[in-house]
Structure formats: C-alpha cells, structure tokens
Amino acid sequence: MENAFTLIDRLESVHSLSLEEYEALILAQSDETAAYAAEKADRVRKEIFGNKIYVRGLIEISNICRNNCLYCGIRRSNGNCDRYRLTFDEILECCRQGHGYGFRTFVLQSGEGALDCDEICGLVKEIKSRFSDCAVTLSLGEFSYEEYRRMKEAGADRYLLRHETADEAHYASLHPDMKFENRMRCLKDLKSLGYQTGCGFMVGSPGQTAAALAKDLKFIETFSPEMCGIGPFIPQKDTPLGNEKSGSCGQTLYLLSLLRLIKPNLLLPSTTALGTIDPLGREKGVKAGANVVMPNLSPVRVRKKYALYDGKICTGDESAQCVGCLERRMNSIGFEISSERGDYEEIKKE
Ligand code: 5AD
Ligand code: FES
C-alpha cells in the first residue's frame, strides 16, 4: 500500500479511499502525518470559507431521555441526573438573547422523547415567525418519517443526528435498546426530506477500533452529510462506562483534518467535548480543519444538568457569555466569527 503521505495527497485530490486505506491512514497517525493532514485541511478550508467561522447557538432544551446509551450522562437509568425541561418562553428568551448577539442559527437539542412531535412543531413555528432571518436546527433524536416531515413543514431547516459509530456491532455494544438500522433509516429520511443533515461520531469510545473508525470515514464519504459533529468520548461517572479512558485530542484533530479532505465544504464543528479534554481544544480543532463553533445559549441554571460527560466546560457562571469567549478565542488564532446563517453550499468556486 502507498505510504500515509501519498494516501493523504490522494484523499485531497479525489476525496475517496478504500476502507483498507482509511484504516491504514488511521493507524499511521503520528506527529508528522497529523501535521501534514492538518496543513492541507487548513488550506482547503481557507480556500472555501476564508477565515470565517460560523456560530450556532446551542439551546439544551431538556435532559429528559428515554434511551440508555452506555456512555451518556443523561441516560434514563441515571438516577443522579436532575431532570429539567425549559418552557417555551424560556427557549424563546434564549433565542432572543442569541439573536441580539448576532446568532442566525439556533440548535435545539434534548434527550430523546423529551418533546413530542406536536410540541416540536409548535416551537419551530414560533421561532421561525419571530426570528425569520434565522435557521433552526433540531437535534432531538429518532422519529418516524412522517414526524420528521411535519417538523420540516413547520420550518425546521437542519437536523443533527450523530450516527455515533458506523460499525453495527460497536453500535449495538454502546446502545442496549437501540437499532443501528433505525439510526440509518432516520438519517436517510432526513436527507430525503431536504434537511441539511448532520451525522457524527465519538472518537475513542470504548471498543472502537481503527477498522470501526475507517467505516465512519467511509460512511461520511458515501452518505455525504452537510454537517458532521465529532468529539472525544469522555467518561461520565454515573454511567456504566464511567471508568473508561477518554478519547484523545490528537486523534480527534487528525480525524477532523481527514474529514475536511473527504468533504471540503463540510460544516464541521470544533466541539465542546474537544474544548473539555484540552483547554485549547476548540482552537486546535479549527486549525485542524473545523469551521463551526457552537456557543452554549442555555440558561446558566440548567447547564450543569446537561452533563453528557464529566468536566464539561461552559457550565459555570462565568460562561453566561460563551459567545464573547469564543469570539476572543477565534480571533486569537486569526479567525472571525460570522453572523451569517451559514447554510451548506455546494462547492463555491469563483
Ligand atoms: N462523551 C462524549 N460525547 C458524548 N456524547 C454523549 N455522551 C458523551 C460522552 N460521554 C455525544 C454523543 C451525542 C452528542 C449529543 O453528545 O455523540 O450524539
Ligand atoms: Fe463557553 Fe468559553 S465558550 S465559557
């Protein structure tokens, strides 16, 4: 097989490799290969997006969840999770504040089943009528085709549903009562309904192999989502995986770079989990190829309760103004926060 540098060159030019080649590339991670991939990813991203970083205001509307994902702090069996659900008025107030900061995308996220389809549709309609220049992204879990269709009709623009891992056996080992097949069905439905669709996976989750990560990369290549969220796995002490090791910052950065080369115009966030395992993680993520940040707009009083993993940043009082913090952080590495909606665009070329 070609060496890693040639594989990276080929990925940059044809945006595709075989499963075996992806796996070899993942195993070939070193300071040198990572720097080589990051330098190319940075160049590719700058050619398309310049020094612009899109912002999405994240509103964690409820931590109530019907699922029991082994890694997640808001899983239904976690009796130590103090459950909450924001009211419509509280959610609208978060949007109003975010709009004042210049945000033109709101991401509504919650555990699965916290809101039913009618409630979601009502909320989306209200946000879209009050903030007509904004995009609404939903991140509320699995629903039927018909429910996703109604949410789209209500005005939702985008949907985030991480696939978590593209390896079916690995998926089953992390999600006791969920079906990989249904996850994939949801993602296909979302795309066919015309949502800008985001998938994504955790890096370094227990049981993850290089072969599984290769499948993730192949899945992104073939499914071709508009967005992809990745971040390191971080243990949460009240979960069955609470004593496992975190994923690494370095591997997450390397994968961000490879994702940028697979899909140059992908909307790729530098995530809070990355900022949690490394104090400069989000800056490093952008330098490695990411082009989106998601400041937390949730009311400060609920932030600690949305504890997917331990040590999550942006949960203290000082974090009321994540937007200012992130803007300074992006400026410090030569990037500007954009207050456009930042819709996905098919390759922009002069
Ligand atoms: N560590 C890192 N990421 C996590 N998520 C859930 N639990 C954890 C954890 N312990 C991620 C999942 C989910 C997203 C909202 O947060 O990938 O899709
Ligand atoms: Fe939230 Fe810095 S981004 S406190």
Side-chain angles (χ1 to χ4, degrees):
M1 199 181 295
E2 298 154 62
N3 76 35
F5 297 96
T6 342
L7 288 174
I8 293 170
D9 289 344
R10 192 142 55 81
L11 193 57
E12 182 189 19
S13 57
V14 303
H15 315 299
S16 170
L17 293 176
S18 70
L19 259 183
E20 295 69 30
E21 289 166 334
Y22 280 128
E23 185 176 349
L25 206 43
I26 287 157
L27 293 168
Q29 185 195 331
S30 66
D31 290 351
E32 292 72 29
T33 55
Y36 190 74
E39 191 261 320
K40 283 183 185 290
D42 184 47
R43 183 149 28 84
V44 164
R45 193 260 334 272
K46 283 202 169 119
E47 274 167 20
I48 301 177
F49 301 98
N51 68 345
K52 218 161 44 181
I53 300 296
Y54 294 124
V55 271
R56 307 349 188 152
L58 177 65
I59 309 174
E60 296 154 335
I61 64 183
S62 174
N63 62 358
I64 296 168
C65 191
R66 71 159 92 101
N67 291 332
N68 228 357
C69 309
L70 295 186
Y71 47 81
C72 185
I74 67 170
R75 64 201 304 270
R76 80 165 180 267
S77 298
N78 182 6
N80 287 333
C81 177
D82 181 9
R83 308 286 167 174
Y84 73 90
R85 202 182 114 156
L86 299 182
T87 64
F88 269 38
D89 285 345
E90 286 172 319
I91 298 168
L92 291 166
E93 175 56 22
C94 293
C95 295
R96 196 190 59 75
Q97 280 183 16
H99 198 262
Y101 298 141
F103 296 6
R104 294 297 177 267
T105 294
F106 301 116
V107 180
L108 307 182
Q109 187 172 88
S110 76
E112 196 168 292
L115 279 79
D116 68 25
C117 183
D118 288 337
E119 294 172 315
I120 296 166
C121 292
L123 184 58
V124 171
K125 278 190 195 135
E126 190 60 31
I127 295 175
K128 292 293 285 194
S129 75
R130 291 203 197 183
F131 308 97
S132 58
D133 56 347
C134 293
V136 170
T137 304
L138 300 179
S139 178
L140 307 170
E142 299 180 6
F143 288 90
S144 69
Y145 179 91
E146 180 55 20
E147 289 168 321
Y148 284 143
R149 193 196 60 70
R150 289 176 49 213
M151 296 174 201
K152 186 83 186 39
E153 192 178 65
D157 301 281
R158 310 181 188 142
Y159 206 104
L160 302 176
L161 185 76
R162 289 191 179 181
H163 65 285
E164 309 297 357
T165 167
D167 182 286
E168 187 160 4
H170 187 222
Y171 187 92
S173 77
L174 296 172
H175 306 96
D177 41 28
M178 295 170 74
K179 286 257 173 304
F180 180 72
E181 203 189 328
N182 197 47
R183 201 78 177 168
M184 292 292 147
R185 191 272 305 158
C186 289
L187 284 166
K188 286 182 187 124
D189 285 353
L190 289 164
K191 209 154 192 243
S192 74
L193 283 162
Y195 283 96
Q196 291 171 53
T197 304
C199 56
F201 53 97
M202 285 183 296
V203 177
S205 58
Q208 186 175 61
T209 58
L213 279 171
K215 288 186 187 171
D216 288 317
L217 296 182
K218 195 68 187 172
F219 176 64
I220 305 301
E221 179 200 311
T222 52
F223 180 66
S224 196
E226 283 75 29
M227 311 171 280
C228 180
I230 75 165
F233 159 76
I234 303 173
Q236 202 288 339
K237 60 180 178 0
D238 302 314
T239 65
L241 301 177
N243 292 318
E244 301 290 328
K245 274 202 340 277
S246 288
S248 79
C249 182
Q251 190 172 38
T252 307
L253 298 174
Y254 184 54
L255 289 161
L256 283 170
S257 301
L258 299 182
L259 287 168
R260 174 64 59 208
L261 298 178
I262 292 174
K263 211 170 146 76
N265 55 347
L266 185 63
L267 294 162
L268 192 59
S270 194
T271 55
T272 305
L274 189 55
T276 297
I277 46 160
D278 184 311
L280 293 176
R282 287 167 301 175
E283 289 87 333
K284 292 176 185 174
V286 166
K287 289 200 260 182
N291 67 332
V292 171
V293 291
M294 299 173 66
N296 195 323
L297 272 183
S298 312
V300 172
R301 74 174 170 79
V302 303
R303 290 210 197 163
K304 280 204 190 341
K305 301 182 185 183
Y306 203 81
L308 305 180
Y309 45 83
D310 291 334
K312 188 168 165 232
I313 53 169
C314 302
T315 61
D317 290 338
E318 75 294 346
S319 63
Q321 292 279 352
C322 284
V323 61
C325 173
L326 271 170
E327 181 156 37
R328 284 191 297 281
R329 286 170 180 269
M330 294 300 116
N331 293 344
S332 77
I333 53 169
F335 289 83
E336 298 288 336
I337 292 283
S338 162
S339 53
E340 297 162 41
R341 273 173 53 128
D343 285 294
Y344 175 83
E345 295 187 35
E346 295 303 330
I347 293 288
K348 299 183 212 166
K349 278 211 179 100
E350 283 86 75

